[in-house]
Amino acid sequence: MKNIKYKTRKICCIGAGYVGGPTMAVIASHCKNISVNVVDINEKRINSWNSHSLDNLPIYEPGLKEVIKKTRNINLFFSTDIKNAISKSDMVFISVNTPTKLKGFGAGYASDLKWVEESARQVAKYSKGHTIVIEKSTLPVKTAELIKTILEAQSENKHSKGTKKSFSVLSNPEFLSEGNAIDDLENPDRVLIGGDDEYSINELEQIYRTWISKNKILRTNLWSSELSKLSANAFLAQRISSINSISAICEKTGADIKEVSKAIGLDKRIGNRFLSAGPGFGGSCFKKDILNLVYLCRYYGLKEVSDYWEQVVLLNNWQRNRISSLVVKKLFGTVSLKKIAILGFAFKANTNDVREAAAINITKDLIENGAKLLIHDPKVNSEQIETAIDLKCSDDIDNSNQGSWIFQEDFNKLFFEIDAVLVLTEWNDYKSIRWDIYSKNMRKPAWVFDTRNIIDKEKVISSGLNYWGLGDGNNFEN
Ligand code: UDX
Ligand code: UDX
């Protein structure tokens, strides 16, 4: 451990979600002399964080259990006592969710900041002395201004409960990729700290310096930090829409997207990461962040710029739609009462998160067209799917005479009398399926649709099944 120079002794994080939980656990594991309190309004979630068995943590993230094991109830605490945690802390991270607004001004584009505002009000109310407030949630540019205004209104009220309060606001965006969050926290490409108060920036920098080298810590002004986060996600998402657009051309021309990706990625200027074509990007950030950027550009009258970024989301929607309609088309133009196994519901492998997963739109489309779906995922549960697609799991799928779904945990029961398999998440478990065995149970002619290009095409074909791979110009029909 490095020579510690920070004064901060108590940290609070509002929001015990995918970002707040892992981030605070890693800080606690490196900064043993700091007490880290993670608070949340959701009691059930806090109970899961505190549950005796580490298998019941509210989120699945490789390596998380181990970090929690060595920190929980030592210098990492989870509770719902927001007031107490804030009042004791020198530093408060705001890590609450900021979903896209569903109604009102900016609906469909702007982020709903009501929880960020509420968190700022709680900090203003309960804090004591000087508090460093850190935006961790991804926020629209200029949100720090809103937080500052709320906090300053309180610091002017000097004699509230006799304590003089002061605040400084920093932006410290997260760049965690789910499924890889612990490694991203341990070995980040960079840590961004935006702000103008030297003392507070130094305090936060010193905490990260406990395990991260100085050259990876980047200081910027507040607005650059906020905008960098939105732009980084927009660039990443843009790469996915770009490669997905090329996947469609491959299918028309006989080219193969895997070969094209490899050829493009070997150019060092482009690089080989984020070039896997798929059913469209999901997750809580990409779509929301781009829509925020679109909203911001419209607000400032930059129509061409907003149209440019919006196209990334439109292409993503198109990619999902084209997959569901392709499945229907290949199954003789109708999926009514046909059984289809869905492999993977999470928005990507190694997470149990289903937010904005391509599987949501695709399964809804198929159910709407009358299909009976048997959904499998190694980490997602039935309740999550029920909420995501807003439809109850069927009691008796075999006798149902309309579009319906069940959650099938048992892999061996997935393939009976099904017409097709649709791979939507790139879980390792799906890479070595014994098609020669399972094909015997399927109703012929049967199809395997692989939207992640992880299935062994030759084995599928030699098992007497039809194969369709995303971006494969030589798709095969028996
Ligand atoms: C993320 C990020 O923080 C944000 O940058 C990103 O844009 C989307 O969501 P994440 O941790 O993934 O947040 O969200 P989530 O798992 O929903 O966790 C947020 C938590 O904040 C929830 O547990 C919620 O109960 C809590 N919360 C929300 C509060 O404790 N107080 C509130 O007022 C609102
Ligand atoms: C993203 C950013 O990577 C992270 O830096 C940010 O802070 C939060 O948002 P996350 O959403 O967890 O992280 O996952 P990411 O790995 O970026 O994947 C997002 C989506 O893109 C997934 O649906 C994934 O399947 C898809 N994807 C990713 C592809 O389709 N192809 C690729 O090559 C890479």
Side-chain angles (χ1 to χ4, degrees):
M1 196 188 284
K2 298 228 162 42
N3 203 8
I4 311 292
K5 285 179 252 138
Y6 49 78
K7 293 204 182 105
T8 303
R9 287 291 170 264
K10 285 196 159 51
I11 288 180
C12 159
C13 173
I14 309 179
Y18 282 88
V19 173
T23 307
M24 292 304 122
V26 170
I27 290 183
S29 76
H30 287 285
C31 304
K32 304 252 184 314
N33 51 354
I34 294 184
S35 163
V36 182
N37 289 282
V38 189
V39 290
D40 202 293
I41 47 172
N42 183 338
E43 195 176 348
K44 198 171 155 213
R45 206 165 219 194
I46 290 296
N47 289 342
S48 313
W49 280 111
N50 283 327
S51 68
H52 184 66
S53 161
L54 290 171
D55 289 326
N56 294 337
L57 295 179
I59 62 173
Y60 170 73
E61 194 61 65
L64 177 64
K65 275 202 284 195
E66 290 71 20
V67 188
I68 295 287
K69 194 174 171 190
K70 58 181 189 190
T71 50
R72 198 175 60 183
N73 297 329
I74 297 171
N75 66 332
L76 175 70
F77 306 92
F78 292 94
S79 92
T80 52
D81 192 350
I82 299 173
K83 177 180 173 182
N84 182 41
I86 293 175
S87 68
K88 288 193 302 201
S89 296
D90 320 297
M91 195 178 262
V92 178
F93 287 80
I94 298 183
S95 202
V96 296
N97 40 334
T98 50
T100 304
K101 279 178 88 169
L102 297 176
K103 53 185 181 186
F105 297 123
Y109 291 90
S111 273
D112 192 339
L113 297 180
K114 69 177 174 225
W115 290 300
V116 171
E117 185 180 329
E118 177 55 23
S119 303
R121 287 185 194 283
Q122 287 173 322
V123 177
K125 192 166 168 194
Y126 302 128
S127 63
K128 291 187 178 139
H130 185 71
T131 309
I132 302 170
V133 180
I134 299 169
E135 295 179 343
K136 196 49 142 170
S137 307
T138 307
L139 297 164
V141 183
K142 294 271 178 186
T143 306
E145 199 121 291
L146 173 152
I147 297 176
K148 270 182 174 171
T149 311
I150 292 171
L151 297 172
E152 275 159 17
Q154 189 68 15
S155 58
E156 277 158 22
N157 183 10
K158 290 189 185 72
H159 299 292
S160 62
K161 301 249 155 98
T163 48
K164 188 171 172 187
K165 302 184 184 202
S166 60
F167 304 96
S168 47
V169 179
L170 302 180
S171 158
N172 173 222
E174 51 89 7
F175 293 102
L176 307 183
S177 167
E178 282 178 35
N180 204 47
I182 299 298
D183 192 47
D184 288 341
L185 284 160
E186 294 285 355
N187 306 297
D189 288 344
R190 78 304 209 182
V191 169
L192 199 52
I193 305 180
D196 50 19
D197 173 33
E198 277 295 301
Y199 166 79
S200 305
I201 296 173
N202 286 339
E203 278 299 286
L204 184 58
E205 174 165 346
Q206 288 309 317
I207 289 173
Y208 285 119
R209 286 279 288 117
T210 315
W211 77 98
I212 296 165
S213 61
K214 191 168 179 59
N215 61 355
K216 286 195 171 173
I217 300 179
L218 193 64
R219 294 172 173 223
T220 65
N221 76 30
L222 264 174
W223 323 130
S224 303
S225 174
E226 289 179 332
L227 184 57
S228 301
K229 172 63 201 278
L230 293 187
S231 311
N233 274 349
F235 271 58
L236 290 168
Q238 181 203 43
R239 267 174 89 94
I240 299 169
S241 280
S242 298
I243 201 70
N244 284 345
S245 74
I246 303 296
S247 73
I249 310 178
C250 287
E251 289 161 31
K252 298 282 182 207
T253 56
D256 180 336
I257 194 65
K258 295 192 290 304
E259 293 175 352
V260 176
S261 290
K262 189 170 177 192
I264 300 172
L266 283 171
D267 185 326
K268 287 197 187 69
R269 293 167 303 177
I270 297 174
N272 61 9
R273 297 177 67 189
F274 265 72
L275 283 182
S276 303
F281 56 78
S284 72
C285 282
F286 281 180
K287 183 175 165 200
K288 177 170 69 93
D289 290 356
I290 296 179
L291 293 177
N292 253 312
L293 200 57
V294 169
Y295 186 67
L296 185 78
C297 297
R298 291 217 176 117
Y299 177 82
Y300 287 112
L302 301 168
K303 184 182 175 310
E304 285 72 12
V305 186
S306 70
D307 289 351
Y308 173 76
W309 286 111
E310 189 166 30
Q311 195 55 36
V312 173
V313 174
L314 296 179
L315 198 117
N316 198 51
N317 296 340
W318 175 79
Q319 180 82 342
R320 294 167 174 188
N321 292 341
R322 89 179 180 91
I323 288 168
S324 28
S325 36
L326 181 131
V327 171
V328 175
K329 196 167 148 205
K330 291 285 185 196
L331 296 180
F332 307 115
T334 174
V335 288
S336 183
L337 304 187
K338 287 182 179 155
K339 280 189 177 176
I340 302 174
I342 303 291
L343 298 190
F345 201 88
F347 80 97
K348 65 183 220 183
N350 294 323
T351 177
N352 64 341
D353 195 350
V354 303
R355 288 178 290 181
E356 297 294 339
I360 300 175
N361 300 62
I362 296 173
T363 53
K364 275 169 110 169
D365 274 355
L366 294 173
I367 292 171
E368 232 170 77
N369 279 281
K372 299 180 178 190
L373 306 182
L374 296 91
I375 305 178
H376 178 273
D377 191 289
K379 293 288 171 197
V380 173
N381 62 42
S382 182
E383 291 75 40
Q384 285 176 282
I385 299 173
E386 212 161 274
T387 311
I389 65 177
D390 197 18
L391 182 70
K392 282 213 158 308
C393 179
S394 167
D395 295 330
D396 182 6
I397 198 164
D398 286 323
N399 293 315
S400 157
N401 56 4
Q402 56 185 358
S404 50
W405 68 280
I406 54 159
F407 186 64
Q408 184 52 268
E409 253 176 309
D410 186 347
F411 206 76
N412 292 314
K413 292 187 182 154
L414 262 177
F415 298 87
F416 285 104
E417 290 297 308
I418 57 171
D419 295 279
V421 173
L422 173 57
V423 180
L424 293 180
T425 313
E426 72 284 20
W427 287 104
N428 264 336
D429 307 19
Y430 302 150
K431 292 180 184 166
S432 49
I433 295 174
R434 288 289 306 269
W435 295 106
D436 52 339
I437 297 176
Y438 292 121
S439 71
K440 296 191 180 107
N441 298 331
M442 292 165 72
R443 190 169 84 144
K444 310 288 175 349
W447 280 87
V448 174
F449 299 100
D450 181 8
T451 69
R452 295 281 188 172
N453 285 317
I454 55 164
I455 299 295
D456 188 329
K457 175 180 175 177
E458 302 312 324
K459 287 192 176 143
V460 169
I461 296 167
S462 63
S463 304
L465 301 168
N466 293 316
Y467 170 89
W468 179 88
L470 184 80
D472 184 341
N474 295 304
N475 277 317
F476 182 87
E477 239 168 290
N478 260 314

